[in-house]
Amino acid sequence: MADLAPYAVTGSNSRGRQVAEAAPQGRSEFQRDRDRIIHSGAFRRLEYKTQVFVNHEGDLFRTRLTHSIEVAQIARSIARRLRLNEDLSEAISLAHDLGHTPFGHAGQDALNACMKAFGGFEHNLQSLRVVDMLEERYAAFDGLNLCFETREGILKHCSADNAAKLGEVGERFLNNRRPSLEAQVANLADEIAYNNHDVDDGLRSGLITLEQLEAVPLVARQLNEVHHAYPDLPERRVVHETVRRMINALVTDLIRQSESNIISQTPATLEDVRSAPAMIAYSTEMNEQQRALKNFLRTHLYRHYRVLRMSAKAQRIISDLFGIFMADSRLLPPQFQSLAEHDRARAVADYIAGMTDRYAIREHRRIFAVEEGV
Ligand code: MG
């Protein structure tokens, strides 16, 4: 990675790892972080976790794994163009959803409600918990012992109460500082990925239609261009051609606006980035357009009655499981029983959050269905 910007994160300006380790041979510190994330158990489980559609609803829909890979692709393109540390943006992108519960946002809301009296449940914080503590892969430390900047990027949001308990990695939420530009890139790449793939998956599922989407300026503009250039294109190709142009429009706008923000803020070092306002951003016009798309998806896709029915089932499964493990921790698998001795609710939340969609459904059956084996 030649020619990084002076304010990019590097192995030498990094705050390093919690447990000191020898420098990696033949790869950078952040390539090592990425490699550790890919080899983790939590990363493999993303394959069977919902983004919007529950995993068994169709083989073509995004899962959290393919979502994370798309985020990494978008983040790397942007980071490279801005001369930022592409490996760091990639590592953050691949790890950002490791703490997500089964059943997408419905699962997160259900687990948060169950944990209300026990400190709550936040998926960003859980992603950090996975890489800091829960992965058991190394002899010398718990978790993956990732670099500070990777951990900081994973912790995209955090409540002030939780931030205060986290030490250095939570400080920026308390003293109004920004994370690295690489983290800001991964954060916006996440949004670009899901807004666009949810349009694609929403259309494929038949829950939303192209006619409805014509009311959304960001989509309508690209759709008109595609219709104009290719009047006889079959609908599936129209969709793909439109979505790829939308991604391109968002990425191009983001790069252009961010470059101009960097020029006006003139950061010289990584510390300047942390004290400046967020510099990775869309233009005002594009920001409005992407918000309109988000609003459309919220109203027409995420609140579609068929999505809400699945969410209701998911909430039921999670609150049933939480209730029974809280009532009797002897029903937990052995590795969570020892955690439960110290903090039962958190151990139950860790166990449930780690489940894939299908594992949660099976576990629910094993415990509650009399005719099912245990
Ligand atoms: Mg995401």
Side-chain angles (χ1 to χ4, degrees):
M1 258 189 305
D3 200 25
L4 284 186
Y7 40 82
V9 176
T10 63
S12 34
N13 65 15
S14 167
R15 295 190 198 172
R17 302 174 190 275
Q18 288 180 300
V19 179
E21 292 185 64
Q25 297 295 309
R27 54 181 175 169
S28 73
E29 293 287 0
F30 297 100
Q31 284 174 316
R32 173 152 76 179
D33 278 7
R34 176 207 52 206
D35 297 347
R36 287 182 176 182
I37 291 158
I38 289 176
H39 287 274
S40 71
F43 185 72
R44 285 194 296 282
R45 288 199 298 269
L46 294 176
E47 183 174 3
Y48 299 103
K49 290 194 181 203
T50 305
Q51 188 63 29
V52 174
F53 297 89
V54 172
N55 184 270
H56 59 254
E57 289 181 301
D59 290 347
L60 286 174
F61 296 129
R62 267 68 172 189
T63 65
R64 287 216 177 262
L65 179 64
T66 60
H67 162 70
S68 301
I69 294 170
E70 289 183 29
V71 175
Q73 180 275 316
I74 293 169
R76 286 181 56 173
S77 306
I78 300 168
R80 187 184 297 203
R81 276 291 305 275
L82 296 175
R83 296 193 299 132
L84 300 173
N85 189 327
E86 195 177 323
D87 297 328
L88 173 57
S89 286
E90 182 184 21
I92 295 167
S93 301
L94 293 176
H96 83 284
D97 270 350
L98 290 179
H100 237 295
T101 60
F103 312 121
H105 284 279
Q108 129 95 26
D109 293 346
L111 193 53
N112 188 29
C114 293
M115 288 293 289
K116 200 158 184 254
F118 310 100
F121 178 88
E122 298 174 22
H123 71 264
N124 282 299
L125 199 57
Q126 189 69 12
S127 297
L128 189 65
R129 217 172 135 73
V130 167
V131 300
D132 279 358
M133 288 182 51
L134 295 175
E135 281 289 323
E136 296 179 313
R137 310 194 68 78
Y138 297 91
F141 45 78
D142 287 338
L144 306 179
N145 196 35
L146 302 180
C147 292
F148 174 85
E149 293 73 18
T150 310
R151 298 170 59 237
E152 163 196 66
I154 291 171
L155 195 65
K156 184 162 69 178
H157 306 290
C158 184
S159 63
D161 278 357
N162 284 322
K165 292 178 209 147
L166 287 173
E168 201 186 2
V169 78
E171 275 169 15
R172 75 182 161 91
F173 297 97
L174 304 171
N175 57 16
N176 189 29
R177 310 257 289 171
R178 252 58 54 196
S180 69
L181 294 178
E182 288 82 352
Q184 296 179 35
V185 165
N187 184 3
L188 282 157
D190 182 22
E191 207 172 79
I192 295 175
Y194 67 68
N195 283 329
N196 285 284
H197 64 51
D198 288 352
V199 167
D200 187 31
D201 283 351
L203 288 167
R204 181 178 290 113
S205 67
L207 300 188
I208 56 175
T209 64
L210 272 181
E211 292 67 48
Q212 283 177 307
L213 278 163
E214 277 164 15
V216 183
L218 182 62
V219 188
R221 187 165 150 213
Q222 308 300 335
L223 193 57
N224 287 339
E225 280 183 21
V226 173
H227 280 318
H228 191 73
Y230 305 97
D232 300 318
L233 207 58
E235 180 160 321
R236 279 313 306 160
R237 287 218 210 186
V238 170
V239 172
H240 291 309
E241 188 63 35
T242 302
V243 169
R244 88 170 182 84
R245 285 165 187 243
M246 281 161 50
I247 296 175
N248 192 50
L250 285 158
V251 167
T252 309
D253 179 272
L254 188 76
I255 290 170
R256 199 179 298 134
Q257 186 62 47
S258 303
E259 275 172 341
S260 129
N261 294 346
I262 291 168
I263 288 168
S264 61
Q265 294 290 334
T266 60
T269 64
L270 179 54
E271 276 316 299
D272 292 346
V273 168
R274 296 183 191 284
S275 51
M279 284 178 265
I280 306 298
Y282 302 110
S283 65
T284 314
E285 192 204 345
M286 188 57 98
N287 196 35
E288 269 167 35
Q289 292 198 9
Q290 67 91 26
R291 264 169 205 263
L293 173 60
K294 265 191 172 165
N295 287 337
F296 173 89
L297 289 170
R298 191 178 310 124
T299 314
H300 297 281
L301 182 61
Y302 310 143
R303 292 184 191 155
H304 192 285
Y305 82 97
R306 280 174 52 204
V307 173
L308 292 180
R309 279 185 187 186
M310 194 58 232
S311 305
K313 266 196 250 187
Q315 278 165 1
R316 169 102 192 270
I317 290 171
I318 287 193
S319 55
D320 283 352
L321 289 174
F322 188 85
I324 199 148
F325 292 132
M326 283 302 280
D328 189 350
S329 64
R330 294 171 309 169
L331 303 182
L332 286 166
Q335 68 270 37
F336 290 96
Q337 289 196 17
S338 45
L339 272 172
E341 280 166 28
H342 158 75
D343 183 345
R344 183 181 294 188
R346 193 54 59 189
V348 171
D350 285 341
Y351 180 41
I352 293 176
M355 293 178 184
T356 61
D357 297 356
R358 60 186 190 169
Y359 184 94
I361 293 168
R362 253 185 249 152
E363 183 76 335
H364 191 267
R365 262 198 239 126
R366 278 193 289 263
I367 292 178
F368 293 98
V370 182
E371 66 277 12
E372 186 78 17
V374 292

